[in-house]
PDB file of all heavy atoms in Angstrom:
ATOM      1  N   CYS M 254     -70.401-152.329  76.148  1.00 98.00           N
ATOM      2  CA  CYS M 254     -71.326-152.857  75.149  1.00 98.00           C
ATOM      3  C   CYS M 254     -70.867-152.509  73.743  1.00 98.00           C
ATOM      4  O   CYS M 254     -70.528-151.362  73.453  1.00 98.00           O
ATOM      5  CB  CYS M 254     -72.737-152.324  75.388  1.00 98.00           C
ATOM      6  SG  CYS M 254     -73.947-153.180  74.341  1.00 98.00           S
ATOM      7  N   GLN M 256     -72.870-152.745  71.237  1.00 98.00           N
ATOM      8  CA  GLN M 256     -74.069-152.341  70.488  1.00 98.00           C
ATOM      9  C   GLN M 256     -74.337-150.844  70.654  1.00 98.00           C
ATOM     10  O   GLN M 256     -73.741-150.189  71.510  1.00 98.00           O
ATOM     11  CB  GLN M 256     -75.272-153.153  70.947  1.00 98.00           C
ATOM     12  CG  GLN M 256     -75.095-154.643  70.759  1.00 98.00           C
ATOM     13  CD  GLN M 256     -74.791-155.013  69.322  1.00 98.00           C
ATOM     14  OE1 GLN M 256     -75.489-154.570  68.398  1.00 98.00           O
ATOM     15  NE2 GLN M 256     -73.752-155.805  69.115  1.00 98.00           N
ATOM     16  N   ASN M 257     -75.246-150.352  69.846  1.00 98.00           N
ATOM     17  CA  ASN M 257     -75.453-148.911  69.812  1.00 98.00           C
ATOM     18  C   ASN M 257     -76.945-148.545  69.819  1.00 98.00           C
ATOM     19  O   ASN M 257     -77.352-147.616  69.122  1.00 98.00           O
ATOM     20  CB  ASN M 257     -74.772-148.369  68.546  1.00 98.00           C
ATOM     21  CG  ASN M 257     -74.022-147.073  68.818  1.00 98.00           C
ATOM     22  OD1 ASN M 257     -73.927-146.616  69.966  1.00 98.00           O
ATOM     23  ND2 ASN M 257     -73.523-146.463  67.766  1.00 98.00           N
ATOM     24  N   CYS M 258     -77.724-149.258  70.613  1.00 98.00           N
ATOM     25  CA  CYS M 258     -79.172-149.014  70.672  1.00 98.00           C
ATOM     26  C   CYS M 258     -79.430-147.537  70.978  1.00 98.00           C
ATOM     27  O   CYS M 258     -78.846-146.990  71.920  1.00 98.00           O
ATOM     28  CB  CYS M 258     -79.819-149.884  71.742  1.00 98.00           C
ATOM     29  SG  CYS M 258     -79.446-151.635  71.537  1.00 98.00           S
ATOM     30  N   TYR M 260     -81.759-145.965  72.374  1.00 98.00           N
ATOM     31  CA  TYR M 260     -82.416-145.589  73.638  1.00 98.00           C
ATOM     32  C   TYR M 260     -81.532-145.773  74.866  1.00 98.00           C
ATOM     33  O   TYR M 260     -81.880-145.313  75.946  1.00 98.00           O
ATOM     34  CB  TYR M 260     -83.709-146.418  73.820  1.00 98.00           C
ATOM     35  CG  TYR M 260     -83.586-147.880  73.422  1.00 98.00           C
ATOM     36  CD1 TYR M 260     -82.951-148.801  74.237  1.00 98.00           C
ATOM     37  CD2 TYR M 260     -84.097-148.320  72.198  1.00 98.00           C
ATOM     38  CE1 TYR M 260     -82.834-150.136  73.858  1.00 98.00           C
ATOM     39  CE2 TYR M 260     -83.981-149.655  71.808  1.00 98.00           C
ATOM     40  CZ  TYR M 260     -83.344-150.551  72.648  1.00 98.00           C
ATOM     41  OH  TYR M 260     -83.213-151.851  72.261  1.00 98.00           O
ATOM     42  N   CYS M 261     -80.394-146.426  74.730  1.00 98.00           N
ATOM     43  CA  CYS M 261     -79.701-146.920  75.927  1.00 98.00           C
ATOM     44  C   CYS M 261     -78.420-146.154  76.262  1.00 98.00           C
ATOM     45  O   CYS M 261     -77.574-145.913  75.398  1.00 98.00           O
ATOM     46  CB  CYS M 261     -79.381-148.398  75.721  1.00 98.00           C
ATOM     47  SG  CYS M 261     -78.457-149.125  77.079  1.00 98.00           S
ATOM     48  N   LEU M 263     -75.901-147.218  77.813  1.00 98.00           N
ATOM     49  CA  LEU M 263     -74.673-148.031  77.726  1.00 98.00           C
ATOM     50  C   LEU M 263     -74.177-148.162  76.292  1.00 98.00           C
ATOM     51  O   LEU M 263     -73.173-148.813  76.031  1.00 98.00           O
ATOM     52  CB  LEU M 263     -74.905-149.449  78.291  1.00 98.00           C
ATOM     53  CG  LEU M 263     -75.494-149.613  79.692  1.00 98.00           C
ATOM     54  CD1 LEU M 263     -75.326-151.062  80.153  1.00 98.00           C
ATOM     55  CD2 LEU M 263     -74.872-148.672  80.693  1.00 98.00           C
ATOM     56  N   ARG M 264     -74.889-147.529  75.355  1.00 98.00           N
ATOM     57  CA  ARG M 264     -74.536-147.677  73.938  1.00 98.00           C
ATOM     58  C   ARG M 264     -73.061-147.313  73.700  1.00 98.00           C
ATOM     59  O   ARG M 264     -72.492-146.440  74.348  1.00 98.00           O
ATOM     60  CB  ARG M 264     -75.473-146.847  73.050  1.00 98.00           C
ATOM     61  CG  ARG M 264     -75.335-145.346  73.235  1.00 98.00           C
ATOM     62  CD  ARG M 264     -76.566-144.625  72.691  1.00 98.00           C
ATOM     63  NE  ARG M 264     -76.837-144.959  71.318  1.00 98.00           N
ATOM     64  CZ  ARG M 264     -76.306-144.336  70.274  1.00 98.00           C
ATOM     65  NH1 ARG M 264     -75.459-143.328  70.438  1.00 98.00           N
ATOM     66  NH2 ARG M 264     -76.612-144.711  69.046  1.00 98.00           N
ATOM     67  N   GLY M 300     -73.864-155.470  79.350  1.00 98.00           N
ATOM     68  CA  GLY M 300     -73.923-155.087  77.945  1.00 98.00           C
ATOM     69  C   GLY M 300     -73.381-156.248  77.122  1.00 98.00           C
ATOM     70  O   GLY M 300     -72.965-157.272  77.677  1.00 98.00           O
ATOM     71  N   GLU M 301     -73.362-156.104  75.816  1.00 98.00           N
ATOM     72  CA  GLU M 301     -72.773-157.175  74.996  1.00 98.00           C
ATOM     73  C   GLU M 301     -71.259-156.992  75.042  1.00 98.00           C
ATOM     74  O   GLU M 301     -70.686-156.213  74.276  1.00 98.00           O
ATOM     75  CB  GLU M 301     -73.358-157.150  73.579  1.00 98.00           C
ATOM     76  CG  GLU M 301     -74.843-157.512  73.589  1.00 98.00           C
ATOM     77  CD  GLU M 301     -75.394-157.955  72.247  1.00 98.00           C
ATOM     78  OE1 GLU M 301     -74.613-158.140  71.281  1.00 98.00           O
ATOM     79  OE2 GLU M 301     -76.627-158.124  72.155  1.00 98.00           O
ATOM     80  N   ARG M 364     -82.280-150.159  66.782  1.00 98.00           N
ATOM     81  CA  ARG M 364     -81.142-151.054  66.998  1.00 98.00           C
ATOM     82  C   ARG M 364     -80.388-151.193  65.670  1.00 98.00           C
ATOM     83  O   ARG M 364     -80.548-152.184  64.948  1.00 98.00           O
ATOM     84  CB  ARG M 364     -81.595-152.432  67.514  1.00 98.00           C
ATOM     85  CG  ARG M 364     -82.435-152.370  68.800  1.00 98.00           C
ATOM     86  CD  ARG M 364     -82.403-153.678  69.583  1.00 98.00           C
ATOM     87  NE  ARG M 364     -81.083-153.912  70.139  1.00 98.00           N
ATOM     88  CZ  ARG M 364     -80.343-155.002  69.926  1.00 98.00           C
ATOM     89  NH1 ARG M 364     -80.781-155.978  69.165  1.00 98.00           N
ATOM     90  NH2 ARG M 364     -79.151-155.114  70.475  1.00 98.00           N
TER      91      ARG M 364
HETATM   92 FE1  SF4 C1099     -76.080-152.620  74.781  1.00 51.73          FE
HETATM   93 FE2  SF4 C1099     -78.335-153.738  75.747  1.00 51.73          FE
HETATM   94 FE3  SF4 C1099     -77.930-151.098  75.946  1.00 51.73          FE
HETATM   95 FE4  SF4 C1099     -78.422-152.150  73.551  1.00 51.73          FE
HETATM   96  S1  SF4 C1099     -79.863-152.133  75.345  1.00 51.73           S
HETATM   97  S2  SF4 C1099     -76.785-150.650  74.006  1.00 51.73           S
HETATM   98  S3  SF4 C1099     -77.386-154.139  73.702  1.00 51.73           S
HETATM   99  S4  SF4 C1099     -76.734-152.699  76.942  1.00 51.73           S
END
Side-chain angles (χ1 to χ4, degrees):
C254 190
Q256 301 303 311
N257 222 5
C258 306
Y260 41 77
C261 177
L263 307 193
R264 66 199 305 273
E301 293 199 8
R364 304 203 68 236

